[in-house]
Amino acid sequence: MQQIKQELGPDAIIIQSRKVRQKGIWGFLRPPKVEITAAVDSAAGSQAKLAALEQSWQQEMGELKQLVNQLLAHQQKQTISSKGPYFTYLQQLVAQGVETHVAQALLMEIEQEYELGDNIKAEVLELMLSKKIQQYLPTEKLPAAAKILVFTGPTGVGKTTTLAKLAAHFVLTEKKRVGMITIDTYRIGAVEQLRTYAAITEIPIEVVITPKNMQAALEKLAGLDLILVDTAGRSAKNSMQVAELNSFLTQLPAAEVFLVLSVTTKAKDLHLITERFRKVGYNRLIFTKLDETANFGAILNTTYATGLPLTYLTTGQNVPDDLEEADREKIAQLILRGEQSWIRRNAYGS
Ligand SMILES: Nc1nc2c(ncn2[C@@H]2O[C@H](COP(=O)(O)OP(=O)(O)OP(=O)(O)O)[C@@H](O)[C@H]2O)c(=O)[nH]1
Ligand SMILES: [Mg+2]
């Protein structure tokens, strides 16, 4: 029985046993042998099979679990763990309107660069984060040689108002000779709006109706130091409008082209705008209406996505006062801590 169970397993049963005479001429003189037929009960056999299968499944499951755990551990290295100082700052940045993937990327970079783990002190992390934000906030003054500045962007963001603020700044503070061109003959009152500002600062203004007229206008203003060009607000979703704008801008190949954006625009829409306006070849950014929000993450989201420099910020409706040169340290503070006194000063007119 022991031998059978060893060969066929614990469920083997004996079907038949008989004595067999040994072969050969002297066989009848020798004691008979015992022949045993044994079998494994088919039900018991399938049970055994099942047990064996189960065992191999368990082994496979164990291997899979291990693999999943390894993957998870690897993934956790790519994201901020759900507690600790990094997570606190992740939440803070997201509350300030910084997109999660941007906040995540910045914090991961700090974690990987310094390898300080969760023991990092909050003040140290905040300092590093401020530096990291500044790294992704290129700010750049206008080059001294800039001669033509074009203001493009979606409707109502403050292109004309910002142009008027800058015109006054260049005339009054920098003592430059400035001229204006408007190609916004689309909206009723747009030309009048700019004419009013031009009259206050005694700046010559040209109205350009078709791209063909651009050269003539430039020639009329040729002797001046700077020419500011206002354009009609265009919807990023209307590719015809953007293409039409582009046909004017190809007449101004050496221009500095601003994309003017409002900090109050939704993140998704800002992505659409920065994408669709690429056609017009903008190379710098202006953010407006900083006085109208308490969250400034949009600025970082946009510079992170476009890599383009920020040159000016505007903080209210007052011409020419509510204009600031972009300062990356100040913007980093805004993004980390929310509204700052230099914006409140304008928003509440005090
Ligand atoms: N609160 C606030 N309002 C602003 C700022 N800049 C502009 N505005 C206001 O936004 C409104 C639209 O300004 P415009 O300069 O006409 O905007 P635009 O981009 O030229 O508009 P379109 O030419 O119609 O596309 C006006 O009421 C401005 O006073 C700002 O920094 N803060
Ligand atoms: Mg305008």
Side-chain angles (χ1 to χ4, degrees), residues 80-92 107 118 125:
I80 299 301
S81 61
S82 59
K83 54 183 173 17
Y86 286 92
F87 189 64
T88 310
Y89 277 99
L90 177 72
Q91 284 177 309
Q92 192 171 319
L107 285 161
D118 274 356
L125 180 54

Side-chain angles (χ1 to χ4, degrees), residues 156 158-161 184 187 190 193 230-233:
K159 296 177 295 299
T160 307
T161 311
D184 184 6
R187 184 170 61 77
Q193 185 188 4
D230 196 14
T231 68

Side-chain angles (χ1 to χ4, degrees), residues 142-151 170 176-181 217-229 252-258 284:
L142 274 179
K147 203 164 175 343
I148 302 174
L149 312 183
V150 186
F151 298 76
F170 289 127
K176 288 196 167 163
R177 288 167 309 142
V178 177
M180 287 180 187
I181 291 178
L218 286 174
E219 276 161 28
K220 277 191 192 162
L221 303 172
L224 303 172
D225 301 321
L226 258 181
I227 298 168
L228 310 184
V229 183
L252 305 166
E256 294 289 332
V257 183
F258 290 108
R284 325 181 147 260

Side-chain angles (χ1 to χ4, degrees), residues 277-302:
F277 270 83
R278 265 192 200 181
K279 222 183 226 161
V280 306
Y282 65 90
N283 63 337
R284 325 181 147 260
L285 304 169
I286 292 178
F287 264 97
T288 64
K289 310 200 182 185
L290 269 70
D291 55 306
E292 287 197 2
T293 180
N295 310 311
F296 303 91
I299 303 174
L300 179 62
N301 296 338
T302 309

